[in-house]
Amino acid sequence: MGLIETNMGLPGDFRLRVGADAPVEFFYGTPDTFPGEASALKHGCTLAPSCNVFVDIGAHHGLYLFAICSALDMQAHYIEPNPALFEEVQANVARLGWPKVQGHCMAMAAHDGTVRFTNNLENASMSSIEGFFGNAGQALRTIEAYCSTFDSFAVRHGINNALVKVDVEGAAHLFVEGAAQEFQRIAYLIIEPVGQTGEMLEALPPGVFSYYINGSRLELHSSPVEYQGYELNWLLCWKGPEELRPLLGPAGFQIIG
């Protein structure tokens, strides 16, 4: 369908070229108005300055990557197994001349090797390595993709004190399983686990706090969560509520728990 120029509503004098089949918010919205991502992205942008590196897993069109890296001159990695989306983001990063940002066309799950990746031809955001419910009745194409665990990726690239965002439709629990040995390298993990919330929470290492991102409220997990509207993301970290309040409270967030 071709590419359309946009700045994704981000401040600054730069232009990106995004697939014309992307959600309309990429062209006429801003990160603050993006359904399902606005609250999580605001949390990420608030926490990013205290981290050494940003890792965007399931980069899609790069909303988180461009929002965070346009505001902060920080090291970053983006991971996207869909070749077309990867090439799009790669071209935009090259156009911006960001030497600290590296791309990796691969999947990330619970094992190293290869995986069958289901590319949703009607809605790229629903592509997944799992049999994701969002693919029902849609046109699909399956390809073979290289797969890495976060554990091995973090060791290879010296990842420490990282802000990590994960959106891997139907495979959030597999990411967490593949991060179990090196989870201490993650300072903050923003992750969308719809369909595998219980499995994801069970796979977390001891000592990790889990918070449901509900708009401006960060709710410490204590019972089954009822998802509210488009709010589908969680924040996982080593900090309890009292440690998080000085970081997030000044930005207008409430930590409940």
Side-chain angles (χ1 to χ4, degrees), residues 49-72:
S50 64
C51 297
N52 295 339
V53 58
F54 174 52
V55 184
D56 189 353
I57 301 167
H60 193 221
H61 293 288
L63 174 65
Y64 281 75
L65 180 74
F66 295 119
I68 289 174
C69 291
S70 64
L72 297 169

Side-chain angles (χ1 to χ4, degrees), residues 207-230:
V208 175
F209 290 86
S210 51
Y211 302 86
Y212 171 54
I213 300 174
N214 186 8
S216 63
R217 293 165 56 94
L218 203 60
E219 301 172 359
L220 181 65
H221 173 67
S222 60
S223 61
V225 168
E226 292 186 12
Y227 285 98
Q228 304 295 314
Y230 289 105

Side-chain angles (χ1 to χ4, degrees), residues 106-237:
M106 66 182 193
M108 188 164 282
H111 73 278
D112 294 309
T114 59
V115 68
R116 302 297 289 173
F117 176 71
T118 301
N119 187 3
N120 189 314
L121 302 180
E122 298 180 38
N123 185 349
S125 68
M126 294 295 167
S127 300
S128 176
I129 63 172
E130 287 287 278
F132 185 54
F133 65 86
N135 289 328
Q138 308 243 326
L140 309 174
R141 177 181 297 155
T142 300
I143 62 174
E144 188 174 88
Y146 172 69
C147 182
S148 172
T149 63
F150 178 82
D151 287 341
S152 59
F153 180 85
V155 171
R156 285 197 305 274
H157 294 280
I159 303 297
N160 281 295
N161 189 33
L163 170 65
V164 180
K165 166 259 178 183
V166 175
D167 189 353
V168 287
E169 312 298 333
H173 60 304
L174 299 181
F175 167 82
V176 173
E177 289 174 21
Q181 301 304 312
E182 302 293 338
F183 208 95
Q184 73 277 6
R185 295 172 181 263
I186 301 174
Y188 306 102
L189 170 59
I190 294 172
I191 188 167
E192 181 185 306
V194 174
Q196 325 84 43
T197 304
E199 293 92 333
M200 179 198 74
L201 294 172
E202 289 177 6
L204 289 174
V208 175
F209 290 86
S210 51
Y211 302 86
Y212 171 54
I213 300 174
N214 186 8
S216 63
R217 293 165 56 94
L218 203 60
E219 301 172 359
L220 181 65
H221 173 67
S222 60
S223 61
V225 168
E226 292 186 12
Y227 285 98
Q228 304 295 314
Y230 289 105
E231 301 293 358
L232 306 177
N233 287 285
W234 289 65
L235 174 67
L236 311 178
C237 66

